[in-house]
Amino acid sequence: MKDLELADVHVPVGRNESMSIRFAPNAWKHEEGLRIEYVGVTSFSMESHREIDWTEAETVILDEIIPTQDGCVHEIALTDATVLVRCSDLRATWGDG
């Protein structure tokens, strides 16, 4: 997952939608992007470490899935931001999806 580029964060507005984060491939390292879908999301936060500049790519530096009693916490450290998702489960799919 390292060096993938943040492409899209979908935060659900309806009850039947799931939260997902899509990462585009890094042209030098990956042939495909990655989509992560989260089930049973209880919290989501994205903290920027500077003023957000949507024209610059945010790349993955580190990602860690920490088990919890009711699921997991997925922490994704980006170039200048941190994403935290607390959920009951997640599913990762390689491809354009």
Side-chain angles (χ1 to χ4, degrees):
M1 205 173 143
K2 187 170 182 337
D3 296 324
L4 287 173
E5 298 176 356
L6 180 63
D8 180 61
V9 177
H10 174 76
V11 179
V13 293
R15 288 183 179 231
N16 295 328
E17 296 180 38
S18 61
M19 182 181 165
S20 64
I21 300 177
R22 190 171 53 85
F23 297 92
N26 176 305
W28 304 104
K29 294 186 175 188
H30 308 99
E31 293 182 21
E32 298 179 302
L34 179 68
R35 178 183 174 91
I36 302 175
E37 290 186 78
Y38 299 92
V39 177
V41 175
T42 56
S43 69
F44 162 74
S45 67
M46 183 170 180
E47 180 181 321
S48 179
H49 306 297
R50 61 175 173 80
E51 185 175 325
I52 295 173
D53 181 355
W54 296 108
T55 61
E56 289 187 27
E58 290 282 346
T59 58
V60 176
I61 298 170
L62 168 87
D63 97 290
E64 183 175 26
I65 299 172
I66 304 159
T68 64
Q69 189 173 22
D70 56 348
C72 63
V73 174
H74 190 194
E75 179 179 358
I76 305 167
L78 301 168
T79 310
D80 289 310
T82 302
V83 176
L84 287 172
V85 181
R86 181 177 293 274
C87 61
S88 59
D89 203 0
L90 60 86
R91 179 178 60 229
T93 308
W94 288 100
D96 295 332

